[in-house]
Coordinates of all heavy atoms in Angstrom, one line a residue:
V1 N 120.1 115.7 81.7 CA 119.6 116.7 80.8 C 119.3 116.0 79.4 O 120.1 115.4 78.9 CB 120.6 117.8 80.5 CG1 120.1 118.8 79.5 CG2 121.0 118.6 81.8
S2 N 118.0 116.2 79.0 CA 117.6 115.6 77.7 C 117.3 116.8 76.8 O 116.4 117.5 77.1 CB 116.5 114.7 77.9 OG 116.1 114.1 76.7
G3 N 118.0 116.8 75.7 CA 117.6 117.9 74.7 C 116.7 117.3 73.7 O 117.0 116.3 73.0
D4 N 115.5 117.9 73.6 CA 114.4 117.4 72.7 C 114.7 118.0 71.3 O 114.4 119.1 71.0 CB 113.1 117.8 73.2 CG 111.9 117.3 72.3 OD1 112.2 116.6 71.3 OD2 110.8 117.6 72.5
V5 N 115.3 117.2 70.5 CA 115.5 117.6 69.1 C 114.6 116.8 68.1 O 114.9 116.6 67.0 CB 117.0 117.4 68.7 CG1 117.9 118.5 69.3 CG2 117.5 116.0 69.0
G6 N 113.5 116.3 68.7 CA 112.5 115.6 67.9 C 112.5 114.1 68.0 O 112.1 113.4 67.1
Q7 N 112.9 113.6 69.2 CA 112.9 112.2 69.4 C 111.5 111.6 69.6 O 111.3 110.4 69.5 CB 113.7 111.8 70.7 CG 115.2 112.2 70.7 CD 115.4 113.6 71.3 OE1 114.7 114.5 71.0 NE2 116.4 113.6 72.2
G8 N 110.5 112.4 69.8 CA 109.1 112.0 69.9 C 108.9 111.1 71.2 O 109.3 111.5 72.3
T9 N 108.3 109.9 71.0 CA 107.9 109.1 72.1 C 109.1 108.6 72.9 O 108.9 108.0 74.0 CB 107.1 107.9 71.6 OG1 107.9 107.1 70.7 CG2 105.8 108.4 71.0
E10 N 110.3 108.7 72.4 CA 111.5 108.3 73.2 C 111.6 109.0 74.5 O 112.3 108.6 75.4 CB 112.8 108.4 72.3 CG 112.9 107.5 71.2 CD 114.2 107.6 70.4 OE1 115.1 108.4 70.9 OE2 114.4 107.0 69.4
L11 N 111.0 110.2 74.6 CA 111.1 111.0 75.8 C 110.0 110.6 76.8 O 110.1 111.1 78.0 CB 110.9 112.5 75.4 CG 112.0 113.1 74.5 CD1 111.6 114.5 74.1 CD2 113.3 113.1 75.2
D12 N 109.1 109.8 76.4 CA 108.0 109.4 77.4 C 108.6 108.7 78.6 O 109.4 107.7 78.4 CB 107.0 108.5 76.7 CG 106.2 109.3 75.6 OD1 106.3 110.5 75.5 OD2 105.5 108.6 74.8
G13 N 108.1 109.1 79.8 CA 108.5 108.4 81.0 C 110.0 108.6 81.4 O 110.5 107.9 82.3
L14 N 110.6 109.6 80.8 CA 112.1 109.8 81.0 C 112.4 110.3 82.4 O 113.3 109.8 83.0 CB 112.6 110.8 80.0 CG 114.0 110.6 79.4 CD1 114.1 109.2 78.8 CD2 114.3 111.6 78.4
E15 N 111.6 111.2 82.9 CA 111.9 111.8 84.3 C 111.8 110.7 85.3 O 112.6 110.6 86.2 CB 110.9 112.9 84.6 CG 111.2 113.5 86.0 CD 110.3 114.8 86.2 OE1 109.4 115.0 85.5 OE2 110.6 115.5 87.2
E16 N 110.7 109.9 85.3 CA 110.5 108.8 86.2 C 111.7 107.8 86.2 O 112.3 107.4 87.2 CB 109.2 108.0 85.9 CG 109.0 106.9 86.9 CD 107.7 106.2 86.6 OE1 107.0 106.6 85.6 OE2 107.4 105.1 87.2
K17 N 112.1 107.5 85.0 CA 113.3 106.5 84.8 C 114.6 107.1 85.3 O 115.3 106.5 86.0 CB 113.4 106.2 83.3 CG 114.5 105.1 83.1 CD 114.5 104.7 81.6 CE 115.5 103.7 81.3 NZ 115.6 103.2 79.9
A18 N 114.8 108.4 85.0 CA 116.1 109.0 85.4 C 116.2 109.1 86.9 O 117.2 108.8 87.5 CB 116.2 110.4 84.8
K19 N 115.1 109.5 87.6 CA 115.1 109.6 89.1 C 115.2 108.2 89.7 O 115.8 108.0 90.7 CB 113.9 110.4 89.5 CG 113.9 111.8 89.2 CD 112.8 112.6 89.8 CE 112.9 114.1 89.5 NZ 111.7 114.8 90.0
A20 N 114.5 107.2 89.1 CA 114.5 105.9 89.6 C 115.9 105.2 89.6 O 116.3 104.4 90.4 CB 113.6 105.0 88.8
T21 N 116.8 105.7 88.7 CA 118.1 105.1 88.6 C 119.1 106.0 89.3 O 120.3 105.7 89.2 CB 118.5 104.9 87.1 OG1 118.3 106.1 86.4 CG2 117.7 103.8 86.5
G22 N 118.7 107.1 89.9 CA 119.6 107.9 90.8 C 119.8 109.3 90.5 O 120.5 110.0 91.2
A23 N 119.2 109.8 89.4 CA 119.3 111.3 89.1 C 118.6 112.1 90.1 O 117.5 111.7 90.6 CB 118.9 111.6 87.7
S24 N 119.1 113.3 90.4 CA 118.4 114.2 91.4 C 117.3 115.0 90.7 O 116.3 115.3 91.3 CB 119.4 115.2 92.0 OG 120.0 116.0 91.0
K25 N 117.5 115.2 89.4 CA 116.5 115.9 88.6 C 116.7 115.6 87.1 O 117.8 115.2 86.7 CB 116.5 117.4 88.9 CG 117.7 118.1 88.4 CD 117.7 119.6 88.6 CE 117.8 120.0 90.1 NZ 118.0 121.5 90.3
L26 N 115.7 116.0 86.3 CA 115.8 115.9 84.9 C 115.3 117.2 84.2 O 114.2 117.6 84.5 CB 115.0 114.7 84.3 CG 114.9 114.6 82.8 CD1 116.2 114.3 82.1 CD2 113.8 113.6 82.4

């Protein structure tokens, strides 16, 4: 779970990375 409180580009590509390292969903 990523809470977007204004991180901007830090959220780019997050879902792909989370699932690639073992998360079932983001």
Side-chain angles (χ1 to χ4, degrees):
V1 178
S2 180
D4 180 4
V5 287
Q7 299 94 311
T9 57
E10 290 184 9
L11 298 172
D12 293 348
L14 217 55
E15 182 174 12
E16 180 182 355
K17 183 176 182 179
K19 290 183 176 180
T21 51
S24 63
K25 67 175 75 170
L26 170 71

